[in-house]
Amino acid sequence: MWRVSVAPTEGPALAAAVARALDALYFFDWGGGLVWLAVKGEDGGAAAIRAALRSGHATLVRASDAVRASVPVFQPQAEPLAALNARVKTQFDPLRILNRGRMYRDL
């Protein structure tokens, strides 16, 4: 199960693109700005969902342990944003003992 946040006008196109690529069930919330997707696939549909996503972000909400171990739960960040997050985390947690890997594997 995925939760995908997009501009409300982009929700239907995203759901249609994913449904063309995978066996998917979807539900719109927030006037189309939040799309809940239930899909099947080895990677839990991550590749198809993230390929269809032009803006916004996709979060893996529920999946098997194997899928959760192989697919990033949160939308991968652009390098500048990932670097900023790493610097902030280092300032607040220089010993890296608080929730290591909780949101992003390398933080």
Coordinates of all heavy atoms in Angstrom, one line a residue:
M1 N 0.9 -1.2 0.0 CA 0.0 0.0 0.0 C 0.9 1.2 0.0 O 1.8 1.3 0.8 CB -0.9 0.0 1.2 CG -1.7 1.2 1.4 SD -3.1 1.4 0.3 CE -4.2 0.1 0.8
W2 N 0.6 2.1 -0.9 CA 1.4 3.4 -1.0 C 0.5 4.6 -0.8 O -0.7 4.5 -1.1 CB 1.9 3.5 -2.5 CG 3.0 2.5 -2.8 CD1 2.8 1.2 -3.2 CD2 4.4 2.8 -2.7 NE1 4.1 0.7 -3.4 CE2 5.0 1.6 -3.1 CE3 5.2 3.9 -2.4 CZ2 6.4 1.5 -3.1 CZ3 6.5 3.8 -2.4 CH2 7.1 2.6 -2.8
R3 N 1.0 5.6 -0.2 CA 0.4 6.9 -0.1 C 1.2 7.9 -1.0 O 2.4 8.1 -0.7 CB 0.4 7.4 1.3 CG -0.4 8.6 1.5 CD -0.2 9.2 2.9 NE 1.0 9.9 2.9 CZ 1.8 10.1 4.0 NH1 1.4 9.6 5.2 NH2 2.9 10.7 3.9
V4 N 0.5 8.5 -2.0 CA 1.2 9.3 -2.9 C 0.6 10.7 -2.8 O -0.6 10.9 -3.0 CB 1.1 8.8 -4.3 CG1 1.9 9.7 -5.3 CG2 1.6 7.4 -4.4
S5 N 1.4 11.7 -2.5 CA 0.9 13.1 -2.4 C 1.4 13.8 -3.7 O 2.5 13.9 -4.0 CB 1.5 13.8 -1.2 OG 1.1 13.2 0.0
V6 N 0.4 14.4 -4.4 CA 0.6 15.2 -5.6 C -0.3 16.4 -5.7 O -1.2 16.5 -4.8 CB 0.4 14.3 -6.9 CG1 1.4 13.1 -7.0 CG2 -1.0 13.7 -6.9
A7 N -0.1 17.2 -6.6 CA -1.1 18.3 -6.9 C -2.4 17.6 -7.2 O -2.4 16.6 -8.0 CB -0.6 19.2 -8.0
P8 N -3.6 18.1 -6.8 CA -4.8 17.4 -7.0 C -5.1 17.2 -8.5 O -5.7 16.2 -8.9 CB -5.9 18.4 -6.4 CG -5.1 19.1 -5.3 CD -3.7 19.2 -5.8
T9 N -4.6 18.1 -9.4 CA -4.8 17.9 -10.8 C -4.0 16.7 -11.4 O -4.3 16.2 -12.5 CB -4.5 19.2 -11.6 OG1 -3.2 19.5 -11.3 CG2 -5.5 20.3 -11.2
E10 N -3.0 16.3 -10.7 CA -2.1 15.2 -11.2 C -2.5 13.8 -10.7 O -2.0 12.8 -11.2 CB -0.6 15.5 -10.8 CG 0.0 16.7 -11.4 CD 1.4 16.9 -11.0 OE1 2.1 16.0 -10.5 OE2 1.9 18.1 -11.1
G11 N -3.4 13.7 -9.7 CA -3.8 12.5 -9.1 C -4.3 11.5 -10.1 O -3.9 10.3 -10.2
P12 N -5.3 11.9 -10.9 CA -5.9 10.9 -11.9 C -4.9 10.4 -12.9 O -4.9 9.2 -13.3 CB -7.0 11.7 -12.6 CG -7.4 12.8 -11.5 CD -6.1 13.1 -10.9
A13 N -4.0 11.3 -13.4 CA -3.0 10.8 -14.4 C -2.0 9.9 -13.8 O -1.7 8.9 -14.4 CB -2.3 12.1 -15.0
L14 N -1.6 10.1 -12.6 CA -0.7 9.2 -11.9 C -1.4 7.9 -11.7 O -0.8 6.8 -12.0 CB -0.3 9.8 -10.5 CG 0.5 8.8 -9.7 CD1 1.9 9.2 -9.7 CD2 0.0 8.7 -8.3
A15 N -2.6 7.8 -11.2 CA -3.3 6.6 -11.0 C -3.5 5.8 -12.3 O -3.3 4.6 -12.3 CB -4.7 6.8 -10.3
A16 N -3.8 6.5 -13.4 CA -4.0 5.8 -14.7 C -2.7 5.3 -15.1 O -2.6 4.1 -15.7 CB -4.5 6.8 -15.7
A17 N -1.6 6.0 -15.0 CA -0.3 5.5 -15.4 C 0.1 4.3 -14.6 O 0.7 3.3 -15.2 CB 0.8 6.6 -15.3
V18 N -0.1 4.3 -13.3 CA 0.3 3.1 -12.5 C -0.6 1.9 -12.9 O -0.1 0.8 -13.0 CB 0.2 3.4 -11.0 CG1 0.3 2.2 -10.2 CG2 1.2 4.5 -10.6
A19 N -1.9 2.2 -13.1 CA -2.8 1.1 -13.4 C -2.5 0.5 -14.8 O -2.7 -0.7 -15.0 CB -4.3 1.6 -13.4
R20 N -1.9 1.3 -15.7 CA -1.5 0.7 -17.0 C -0.3 -0.2 -16.8 O -0.1 -1.2 -17.5 CB -1.2 1.8 -18.0 CG -2.4 2.5 -18.7 CD -2.0 3.3 -19.8 NE -1.1 4.4 -19.4 CZ -1.5 5.6 -19.0 NH1 -2.8 5.9 -18.9 NH2 -0.6 6.6 -18.7
A21 N 0.6 0.1 -15.9 CA 1.8 -0.6 -15.7 C 1.6 -1.8 -14.8 O 2.3 -2.8 -14.9 CB 2.9 0.3 -15.1
L22 N 0.7 -1.7 -13.8 CA 0.6 -2.8 -12.8 C -0.9 -3.1 -12.6 O -1.8 -2.3 -12.9 CB 1.2 -2.3 -11.5 CG 2.6 -1.9 -11.4 CD1 2.9 -1.2 -10.1 CD2 3.5 -3.2 -11.6
D23 N -1.2 -4.2 -11.9 CA -2.5 -4.5 -11.4 C -2.7 -3.7 -10.2 O -2.0 -3.9 -9.1 CB -2.6 -6.0 -11.1 CG -4.0 -6.4 -10.6 OD1 -4.9 -5.6 -10.8 OD2 -4.1 -7.4 -10.0
A24 N -3.4 -2.6 -10.3 CA -3.5 -1.6 -9.1 C -4.9 -1.3 -8.8 O -5.8 -1.1 -9.7 CB -2.7 -0.4 -9.5
L25 N -5.2 -1.1 -7.5 CA -6.4 -0.5 -7.1 C -6.0 0.9 -6.5 O -5.0 1.0 -5.9 CB -7.0 -1.3 -6.0 CG -7.4 -2.7 -6.4 CD1 -7.9 -3.5 -5.1 CD2 -8.5 -2.7 -7.4
Y26 N -6.9 1.9 -6.7 CA -6.5 3.2 -6.1 C -7.7 3.9 -5.6 O -8.9 3.6 -6.0 CB -5.8 4.1 -7.2 CG -6.5 4.2 -8.5 CD1 -7.5 5.2 -8.7 CD2 -6.2 3.3 -9.6 CE1 -8.1 5.3 -9.9 CE2 -6.9 3.4 -10.8 CZ -7.8 4.4 -11.0 OH -8.4 4.5 -12.2
F27 N -7.5 4.8 -4.7 CA -8.5 5.6 -4.1 C -8.0 7.1 -3.9 O -6.8 7.3 -3.6 CB -8.8 5.1 -2.7 CG -9.8 5.9 -1.9 CD1 -11.2 5.8 -2.1 CD2 -9.3 6.7 -0.9 CE1 -12.1 6.5 -1.4 CE2 -10.2 7.5 -0.2 CZ -11.6 7.4 -0.4
F28 N -8.8 8.0 -4.3 CA -8.4 9.4 -4.2 C -8.9 10.1 -2.9 O -10.1 9.8 -2.5 CB -9.0 10.3 -5.4 CG -8.5 9.8 -6.7 CD1 -9.3 9.1 -7.6 CD2 -7.2 10.1 -7.1 CE1 -8.8 8.7 -8.8 CE2 -6.7 9.7 -8.3 CZ -7.5 9.0 -9.2
D29 N -8.1 10.8 -2.3 CA -8.5 11.6 -1.1 C -8.0 13.0 -1.3 O -7.2 13.3 -2.2 CB -7.7 10.9 0.1 CG -8.5 11.2 1.4 OD1 -9.4 12.0 1.5 OD2 -8.0 10.6 2.4
W30 N -8.4 13.9 -0.5 CA -8.0 15.3 -0.6 C -8.2 15.9 -2.0 O -7.4 16.6 -2.5 CB -6.6 15.5 -0.2 CG -6.2 15.2 1.2 CD1 -7.0 14.9 2.2 CD2 -4.9 15.1 1.7 NE1 -6.3 14.6 3.3 CE2 -5.0 14.7 3.0 CE3 -3.6 15.3 1.1 CZ2 -3.9 14.5 3.8 CZ3 -2.5 15.1 1.9 CH2 -2.7 14.7 3.3
G31 N -9.4 15.6 -2.6 CA -9.7 16.1 -3.9 C -8.7 15.7 -5.0 O -8.5 16.3 -6.0
G32 N -8.1 14.5 -4.8 CA -7.2 14.0 -5.8 C -5.7 14.2 -5.5 O -4.8 13.7 -6.2
G33 N -5.4 15.0 -4.4 CA -4.1 15.3 -4.1 C -3.4 14.2 -3.3 O -2.2 14.2 -3.1
L34 N -4.2 13.3 -2.8 CA -3.6 12.1 -2.1 C -4.2 10.9 -2.7 O -5.4 10.7 -2.8 CB -4.0 12.1 -0.6 CG -3.5 11.0 0.3 CD1 -1.9 11.1 0.3 CD2 -4.0 11.1 1.7
V35 N -3.3 10.0 -3.2 CA -3.7 8.8 -3.9 C -3.2 7.6 -3.1 O -2.0 7.5 -2.8 CB -3.1 8.8 -5.4 CG1 -3.6 7.5 -6.1 CG2 -3.5 10.0 -6.1
W36 N -4.1 6.8 -2.7 CA -3.8 5.5 -2.1 C -3.7 4.4 -3.1 O -4.7 4.3 -3.9 CB -4.8 5.2 -1.0 CG -4.9 6.1 0.1 CD1 -5.7 7.2 0.3 CD2 -4.0 6.1 1.3 NE1 -5.4 7.9 1.4 CE2 -4.4 7.2 2.1 CE3 -3.0 5.2 1.7 CZ2 -3.8 7.4 3.3 CZ3 -2.4 5.5 3.0 CH2 -2.8 6.6 3.7
L37 N -2.6 3.7 -3.2 CA -2.4 2.7 -4.2 C -2.2 1.3 -3.6 O -1.3 1.2 -2.7 CB -1.3 3.0 -5.1 CG -1.4 4.3 -6.0 CD1 0.0 4.7 -6.5 CD2 -2.2 3.9 -7.2
A38 N -2.9 0.3 -4.0 CA -2.6 -1.1 -3.7 C -2.2 -1.8 -4.9 O -2.9 -1.8 -5.9 CB -3.9 -1.7 -3.1
V39 N -0.9 -2.2 -4.9 CA -0.4 -2.9 -6.1 C 0.3 -4.2 -5.7 O 0.6 -4.4 -4.6 CB 0.7 -1.9 -6.8 CG1 0.0 -0.6 -7.3 CG2 1.8 -1.6 -5.9
K40 N 0.6 -4.9 -6.8 CA 1.4 -6.2 -6.6 C 2.6 -6.1 -7.4 O 2.7 -5.4 -8.4 CB 0.6 -7.4 -7.0 CG -0.6 -7.6 -6.1 CD -1.4 -8.9 -6.6 CE -2.6 -9.1 -5.7 NZ -3.4 -10.2 -6.1
G41 N 3.7 -6.8 -7.0 CA 4.9 -6.8 -7.8 C 6.1 -7.1 -6.9 O 6.0 -6.9 -5.6
E42 N 7.2 -7.5 -7.4 CA 8.4 -7.9 -6.7 C 8.9 -6.7 -5.8 O 9.3 -6.9 -4.7 CB 9.5 -8.3 -7.6 CG 9.4 -9.8 -8.0 CD 10.6 -10.2 -8.8 OE1 11.7 -9.7 -8.5 OE2 10.4 -11.0 -9.7
D43 N 8.8 -5.5 -6.4 CA 9.3 -4.3 -5.6 C 8.2 -3.6 -5.0 O 8.3 -2.4 -4.6 CB 10.2 -3.4 -6.5 CG 9.3 -2.8 -7.6 OD1 8.2 -3.2 -7.9 OD2 9.8 -1.8 -8.2
G44 N 7.0 -4.2 -4.9 CA 5.9 -3.5 -4.3 C 5.3 -2.4 -5.2 O 4.6 -1.6 -4.8
G45 N 5.7 -2.4 -6.5 CA 5.3 -1.4 -7.4 C 6.1 -0.1 -7.4 O 5.8 0.9 -8.0
A46 N 7.2 -0.1 -6.6 CA 8.0 1.1 -6.4 C 8.5 1.7 -7.7 O 8.4 2.9 -7.9 CB 9.2 0.9 -5.5
A47 N 9.0 0.9 -8.6 CA 9.6 1.5 -9.9 C 8.5 2.1 -10.7 O 8.7 3.2 -11.2 CB 10.3 0.3 -10.6
A48 N 7.3 1.5 -10.9 CA 6.3 2.0 -11.7 C 5.7 3.3 -11.0 O 5.4 4.3 -11.7 CB 5.2 1.0 -11.9
I49 N 5.5 3.3 -9.7 CA 4.9 4.4 -9.1 C 5.8 5.6 -9.1 O 5.4 6.7 -9.5 CB 4.6 4.1 -7.6 CG1 3.4 3.1 -7.6 CG2 4.2 5.3 -6.8 CD1 3.2 2.4 -6.2
R50 N 7.1 5.4 -8.8 CA 8.0 6.5 -8.8 C 8.3 7.0 -10.2 O 8.6 8.2 -10.4 CB 9.3 6.2 -8.0 CG 8.9 6.0 -6.5 CD 10.0 5.9 -5.6 NE 9.6 6.0 -4.2 CZ 10.0 5.3 -3.2 NH1 10.9 4.4 -3.4 NH2 9.5 5.5 -2.0
A51 N 8.2 6.1 -11.2 CA 8.4 6.6 -12.6 C 7.2 7.4 -13.1 O 7.4 8.4 -13.9 CB 8.5 5.4 -13.5
A52 N 6.0 7.1 -12.6 CA 4.8 7.9 -13.0 C 4.7 9.2 -12.2 O 4.0 10.1 -12.6 CB 3.6 7.1 -12.7
L53 N 5.5 9.4 -11.1 CA 5.4 10.5 -10.3 C 6.3 11.7 -10.8 O 7.5 11.6 -10.9 CB 5.9 10.2 -8.9 CG 5.7 11.1 -7.8 CD1 4.2 11.4 -7.5 CD2 6.3 10.6 -6.5
R54 N 5.6 12.7 -11.3 CA 6.4 13.9 -11.9 C 6.7 14.9 -10.8 O 7.8 15.5 -10.8 CB 5.5 14.6 -12.9 CG 5.3 13.7 -14.1 CD 4.6 14.4 -15.3 NE 3.9 15.6 -14.9 CZ 2.8 16.0 -15.5 NH1 2.3 15.3 -16.5 NH2 2.1 17.1 -15.1
S55 N 5.9 15.0 -9.8 CA 6.2 15.9 -8.6 C 5.5 15.3 -7.4 O 4.6 14.4 -7.6 CB 5.7 17.3 -8.9 OG 4.3 17.3 -9.0
G56 N 5.8 15.7 -6.3 CA 5.2 15.1 -5.1 C 6.1 14.0 -4.5 O 7.3 14.0 -4.8
H57 N 5.5 13.2 -3.7 CA 6.3 12.1 -3.1 C 5.4 10.9 -2.8 O 4.2 11.0 -2.6 CB 7.0 12.5 -1.8 CG 6.1 13.0 -0.8 ND1 5.6 14.3 -0.7 CD2 5.5 12.3 0.3 CE1 4.8 14.4 0.3 NE2 4.7 13.2 0.9
A58 N 6.0 9.7 -2.9 CA 5.4 8.4 -2.6 C 6.0 7.8 -1.4 O 7.2 7.7 -1.2 CB 5.5 7.5 -3.8
T59 N 5.1 7.3 -0.5 CA 5.5 6.7 0.7 C 5.0 5.3 0.8 O 3.8 5.1 0.6 CB 5.1 7.5 2.0 OG1 5.5 8.8 1.9 CG2 5.6 6.8 3.3
L60 N 5.8 4.3 1.0 CA 5.4 2.9 1.2 C 4.8 2.8 2.6 O 5.5 3.0 3.6 CB 6.6 2.0 1.0 CG 6.3 0.5 1.1 CD1 5.3 0.0 0.1 CD2 7.6 -0.3 1.0
V61 N 3.5 2.5 2.7 CA 2.9 2.4 4.0 C 2.8 1.0 4.5 O 3.1 0.7 5.7 CB 1.4 3.0 3.9 CG1 0.7 2.8 5.2 CG2 1.5 4.4 3.4
R62 N 2.5 0.0 3.6 CA 2.4 -1.4 4.1 C 3.0 -2.3 3.0 O 2.6 -2.1 1.8 CB 1.0 -1.7 4.4 CG 0.8 -3.1 5.0 CD -0.6 -3.4 5.4 NE -1.6 -2.6 4.7 CZ -2.9 -2.7 5.0 NH1 -3.3 -3.5 5.9 NH2 -3.7 -2.0 4.3
A63 N 3.8 -3.2 3.4 CA 4.4 -4.2 2.5 C 5.0 -5.4 3.3 O 5.2 -5.2 4.5 CB 5.4 -3.6 1.6
S64 N 5.3 -6.4 2.6 CA 6.0 -7.5 3.2 C 7.4 -7.1 3.7 O 7.9 -6.1 3.3 CB 6.2 -8.7 2.2 OG 7.1 -8.4 1.2
D65 N 8.0 -7.9 4.6 CA 9.3 -7.6 5.1 C 10.3 -7.6 4.0 O 11.2 -6.7 4.0 CB 9.7 -8.6 6.2 CG 8.9 -8.4 7.5 OD1 8.3 -7.3 7.7 OD2 8.9 -9.4 8.3
A66 N 10.2 -8.5 3.0 CA 11.1 -8.5 1.9 C 11.1 -7.2 1.1 O 12.1 -6.7 0.7 CB 10.8 -9.7 1.0
V67 N 9.9 -6.7 0.8 CA 9.8 -5.5 0.0 C 10.3 -4.3 0.8 O 11.1 -3.5 0.3 CB 8.3 -5.3 -0.4 CG1 8.1 -3.9 -1.0 CG2 7.9 -6.3 -1.4
R68 N 10.0 -4.3 2.1 CA 10.4 -3.1 2.9 C 12.0 -3.1 3.1 O 12.6 -2.1 3.2 CB 9.8 -3.2 4.3 CG 8.3 -2.9 4.2 CD 7.7 -2.9 5.6 NE 7.9 -1.7 6.4 CZ 7.3 -0.5 6.1 NH1 6.4 -0.4 5.2 NH2 7.6 0.5 6.9
A69 N 12.6 -4.3 3.0 CA 14.0 -4.4 3.1 C 14.7 -3.9 1.8 O 15.9 -3.5 1.8 CB 14.5 -5.8 3.4
S70 N 14.0 -4.0 0.6 CA 14.6 -3.8 -0.6 C 14.2 -2.4 -1.3 O 14.8 -2.0 -2.2 CB 14.3 -4.9 -1.6 OG 12.9 -4.9 -1.9
V71 N 13.2 -1.8 -0.8 CA 12.6 -0.6 -1.4 C 12.7 0.6 -0.3 O 12.2 0.4 0.8 CB 11.2 -0.8 -1.8 CG1 10.5 0.5 -2.3 CG2 11.1 -1.8 -2.9
P72 N 13.2 1.7 -0.7 CA 13.1 2.9 0.3 C 11.7 3.2 0.6 O 10.9 3.3 -0.3 CB 13.8 4.0 -0.5 CG 14.6 3.4 -1.6 CD 13.9 2.1 -1.9
V73 N 11.4 3.3 1.9 CA 10.0 3.7 2.3 C 9.6 5.0 1.8 O 8.5 5.3 1.4 CB 9.9 3.5 3.8 CG1 8.6 4.0 4.3 CG2 10.1 2.1 4.2
F74 N 10.5 6.0 2.0 CA 10.3 7.4 1.6 C 10.8 7.7 0.2 O 11.7 7.0 -0.3 CB 10.9 8.3 2.6 CG 10.2 8.2 4.0 CD1 10.8 7.5 5.0 CD2 9.0 8.8 4.2 CE1 10.2 7.3 6.2 CE2 8.4 8.7 5.5 CZ 9.0 7.9 6.5
Q75 N 10.2 8.7 -0.4 CA 10.7 9.1 -1.7 C 12.2 9.5 -1.7 O 12.6 10.2 -0.8 CB 9.9 10.4 -2.1 CG 10.2 10.9 -3.5 CD 9.6 10.0 -4.6 OE1 8.7 9.2 -4.3 NE2 10.1 10.1 -5.8
P76 N 13.0 8.9 -2.6 CA 14.4 9.3 -2.6 C 14.5 10.8 -2.8 O 13.8 11.4 -3.5 CB 15.0 8.5 -3.8 CG 14.0 7.4 -3.9 CD 12.7 7.9 -3.5
Q77 N 15.5 11.4 -2.0 CA 15.7 12.9 -2.1 C 16.7 13.2 -3.1 O 17.7 12.5 -3.4 CB 16.1 13.4 -0.7 CG 15.1 13.1 0.4 CD 15.6 13.6 1.7 OE1 16.8 13.5 2.0 NE2 14.7 14.1 2.5
A78 N 16.5 14.4 -3.7 CA 17.6 15.0 -4.5 C 18.8 15.2 -3.7 O 18.8 15.4 -2.5 CB 17.1 16.3 -5.1
E79 N 20.0 15.1 -4.4 CA 21.3 15.1 -3.6 C 21.4 16.4 -2.7 O 21.9 16.2 -1.6 CB 22.4 15.0 -4.6 CG 23.8 14.9 -4.0 CD 23.9 13.8 -3.0 OE1 23.4 12.7 -3.3 OE2 24.5 14.0 -1.9
P80 N 21.1 17.6 -3.2 CA 21.3 18.8 -2.3 C 20.4 18.6 -1.0 O 20.9 19.0 0.1 CB 20.8 19.9 -3.2 CG 21.0 19.5 -4.6 CD 20.7 18.0 -4.6
L81 N 19.2 18.2 -1.2 CA 18.3 18.0 0.0 C 18.8 16.9 0.9 O 18.8 17.0 2.1 CB 16.9 17.7 -0.4 CG 15.8 17.6 0.7 CD1 15.8 18.9 1.5 CD2 14.5 17.4 0.1
A82 N 19.3 15.8 0.3 CA 19.8 14.7 1.1 C 21.1 15.2 1.9 O 21.2 14.8 3.1 CB 20.2 13.5 0.3
A83 N 21.9 16.0 1.3 CA 23.1 16.5 2.0 C 22.7 17.5 3.1 O 23.3 17.4 4.2 CB 24.0 17.3 1.0
L84 N 21.7 18.3 2.9 CA 21.2 19.2 3.9 C 20.6 18.4 5.1 O 20.9 18.7 6.3 CB 20.1 20.1 3.4 CG 19.4 21.0 4.4 CD1 20.4 22.0 5.0 CD2 18.3 21.8 3.7
N85 N 19.8 17.4 4.8 CA 19.3 16.5 5.9 C 20.4 15.9 6.7 O 20.3 15.7 7.9 CB 18.4 15.5 5.3 CG 17.0 16.0 5.1 OD1 16.6 17.0 5.7 ND2 16.2 15.3 4.3
A86 N 21.5 15.4 6.0 CA 22.6 14.8 6.7 C 23.3 15.7 7.6 O 23.7 15.4 8.7 CB 23.5 14.2 5.7
R87 N 23.5 17.0 7.2 CA 24.1 18.0 8.0 C 23.3 18.3 9.2 O 23.8 18.5 10.3 CB 24.4 19.3 7.2 CG 25.5 19.1 6.2 CD 26.0 20.4 5.6 NE 25.0 21.2 5.0 CZ 24.6 21.2 3.7 NH1 25.1 20.3 2.9 NH2 23.7 22.0 3.3
V88 N 22.0 18.5 9.0 CA 21.1 18.8 10.2 C 21.1 17.6 11.2 O 21.2 17.8 12.4 CB 19.7 19.1 9.7 CG1 18.7 19.1 10.9 CG2 19.6 20.4 8.9
K89 N 21.0 16.4 10.7 CA 21.1 15.2 11.5 C 22.4 15.2 12.3 O 22.4 14.9 13.5 CB 20.9 13.9 10.7 CG 21.1 12.6 11.4 CD 19.9 12.1 12.0 CE 20.2 10.7 12.5 NZ 19.4 10.3 13.6
T90 N 23.5 15.5 11.7 CA 24.8 15.4 12.3 C 24.9 16.5 13.4 O 25.4 16.3 14.5 CB 25.9 15.7 11.3 OG1 25.9 14.6 10.3 CG2 27.3 15.7 12.0
Q91 N 24.3 17.7 13.2 CA 24.2 18.7 14.2 C 23.4 18.3 15.5 O 23.8 18.6 16.6 CB 23.7 20.0 13.6 CG 24.6 20.7 12.6 CD 25.9 21.2 13.3 OE1 25.9 21.8 14.3 NE2 27.0 20.8 12.7
F92 N 22.3 17.7 15.2 CA 21.5 17.3 16.4 C 21.9 15.9 17.0 O 21.6 15.7 18.2 CB 20.0 17.2 15.9 CG 19.3 18.5 15.8 CD1 19.2 19.1 14.6 CD2 18.8 19.1 16.9 CE1 18.6 20.3 14.5 CE2 18.2 20.4 16.8 CZ 18.1 21.0 15.6
D93 N 22.5 15.1 16.2 CA 22.9 13.8 16.7 C 24.3 13.4 16.2 O 24.4 12.5 15.4 CB 21.8 12.8 16.2 CG 22.0 11.3 16.7 OD1 22.8 11.1 17.7 OD2 21.5 10.4 16.0
P94 N 25.3 14.0 16.7 CA 26.7 13.8 16.2 C 27.2 12.3 16.4 O 28.0 11.9 15.6 CB 27.5 14.8 17.0 CG 26.7 15.2 18.1 CD 25.3 15.0 17.8
L95 N 26.7 11.6 17.4 CA 27.1 10.3 17.6 C 26.2 9.2 16.9 O 26.5 8.0 16.9 CB 27.0 9.9 19.1 CG 27.9 10.8 20.0 CD1 27.8 10.4 21.5 CD2 29.4 10.7 19.6
R96 N 25.2 9.7 16.2 CA 24.3 8.9 15.3 C 23.7 7.7 16.1 O 23.8 6.6 15.7 CB 25.1 8.4 14.1 CG 25.5 9.6 13.2 CD 26.1 9.1 12.0 NE 25.1 8.5 11.2 CZ 25.1 8.3 9.9 NH1 26.2 8.6 9.2 NH2 24.1 7.8 9.2
I97 N 23.1 8.1 17.3 CA 22.5 7.1 18.1 C 21.0 7.1 18.1 O 20.3 6.2 18.6 CB 23.0 7.2 19.6 CG1 22.7 8.5 20.2 CG2 24.5 6.8 19.6 CD1 23.1 8.7 21.6
L98 N 20.4 8.2 17.6 CA 19.0 8.4 17.7 C 18.3 7.9 16.3 O 18.5 8.5 15.3 CB 18.6 9.9 17.9 CG 19.2 10.5 19.2 CD1 18.9 12.0 19.2 CD2 18.6 9.8 20.4
N99 N 17.6 6.8 16.4 CA 16.8 6.3 15.3 C 17.6 6.2 14.0 O 17.1 6.5 12.9 CB 15.6 7.2 15.1 CG 14.5 7.0 16.1 OD1 14.3 6.0 16.7 ND2 13.9 8.1 16.5
R100 N 18.8 5.6 14.1 CA 19.6 5.4 13.0 C 18.9 4.6 11.9 O 18.4 3.5 12.2 CB 20.9 4.8 13.4 CG 21.9 4.7 12.2 CD 23.2 4.0 12.6 NE 24.0 3.9 11.5 CZ 25.2 4.4 11.4 NH1 25.7 5.0 12.4 NH2 25.9 4.3 10.3
G101 N 18.9 5.1 10.7 CA 18.2 4.4 9.6 C 16.7 4.4 9.6 O 16.1 3.7 8.8
R102 N 16.1 5.1 10.5 CA 14.6 5.1 10.7 C 13.9 5.6 9.5 O 13.0 5.0 9.0 CB 14.3 5.9 11.9 CG 12.8 6.0 12.1 CD 12.2 4.9 12.9 NE 10.8 5.1 13.1 CZ 10.1 4.3 13.8 NH1 10.6 3.1 14.2 NH2 8.8 4.6 14.0
M103 N 14.3 6.7 8.9 CA 13.7 7.3 7.7 C 14.4 7.0 6.5 O 13.9 6.7 5.4 CB 13.4 8.7 8.0 CG 12.4 9.0 9.1 SD 12.0 10.7 9.3 CE 11.1 11.1 7.9
Y104 N 15.7 7.2 6.5 CA 16.6 6.9 5.4 C 17.7 6.0 5.8 O 18.3 6.2 6.9 CB 17.1 8.2 4.8 CG 16.0 9.1 4.2 CD1 15.5 10.1 5.0 CD2 15.5 8.8 3.0 CE1 14.5 10.9 4.5 CE2 14.5 9.6 2.5 CZ 14.0 10.6 3.2 OH 13.0 11.4 2.7
R105 N 18.1 5.0 5.1 CA 19.0 4.0 5.5 C 20.4 4.5 5.9 O 21.0 4.0 6.8 CB 19.2 3.0 4.4 CG 18.0 2.1 4.2 CD 18.2 1.0 3.2 NE 17.0 0.3 3.1 CZ 16.5 -0.2 1.9 NH1 17.2 0.0 0.8 NH2 15.4 -0.8 1.9
D106 N 20.8 5.6 5.2 CA 22.2 6.1 5.5 C 22.2 7.2 6.5 O 23.2 7.8 6.8 CB 22.8 6.5 4.2 CG 22.0 7.5 3.4 OD1 20.8 7.7 3.7 OD2 22.6 8.2 2.5
L107 N 21.1 7.5 7.2 CA 21.1 8.5 8.2 C 20.8 7.9 9.6 O 19.9 7.2 9.8 CB 20.0 9.6 7.9 CG 20.3 10.6 6.8 CD1 19.2 11.6 6.7 CD2 21.6 11.3 7.1

